[in-house]
Amino acid sequence: MNDDYVLLMLVCPARRRDDVVDALMACPAISGFTMSQCGGFSRDHNRLSLREQVQGFGNFERFEVVASPATIVDVKQQLAVTAGRDDFHYWIYPILEQGSLQAAAVPAEPD
């Protein structure tokens, strides 16, 4: 188990994507992050645009940041400022293992 890192997963309205990207890029303690589009369902329809209410889900961006727990505290504080009056949801997961995968050089098959 790796107690040194956690995963912060953040979901925000798609229209706020660039603001979150700017906030995360301004955090010198993180080396990078992942983002992707996602759809979200909520019974609280008043937060969705009319188009989203018709389509049945909201358009969101999901961000994933791996860092130390202390760094994630700082990142969350910055993201709270960025969120302002919008509702950003987040989860924090422990990282059990991390690394990079790379294909090993495999010798060619003999003819």
Side-chain angles (χ1 to χ4, degrees):
M1 182 155 168
N2 185 346
D3 294 329
D4 297 336
Y5 293 97
V6 295
L7 169 68
L8 168 67
M9 184 178 299
L10 174 85
V11 176
C12 72
R15 63 183 168 72
R16 298 299 308 276
R17 180 191 68 201
D18 292 343
D19 298 328
V20 174
V21 167
D22 291 345
L24 291 174
M25 290 182 71
C27 294
I30 62 171
S31 62
F33 56 90
T34 302
M35 67 179 195
S36 58
Q37 296 176 348
C38 63
F41 173 81
S42 173
R43 296 192 191 284
D44 189 6
H45 293 292
N46 64 339
R47 295 175 189 240
L48 302 179
S49 70
L50 182 57
R51 178 175 182 231
E52 291 171 330
Q53 290 178 32
V54 170
Q55 74 185 9
F57 60 89
N59 297 312
F60 296 94
E61 291 287 331
R62 180 176 53 229
F63 292 86
E64 297 172 355
V65 179
V66 174
S68 71
T71 296
I72 293 298
V73 169
D74 294 339
V75 170
K76 282 181 14 190
Q77 289 173 344
Q78 179 60 42
L79 291 171
V81 171
T82 302
R85 300 182 92 192
D86 281 321
D87 198 7
F88 289 11
H89 292 277
Y90 73 91
W91 301 263
I92 297 177
Y93 299 95
I95 299 292
L96 301 178
E97 183 178 344
Q98 71 169 341
S100 297
L101 298 175
Q102 183 177 5
V106 178
E109 293 280 327
D111 290 329

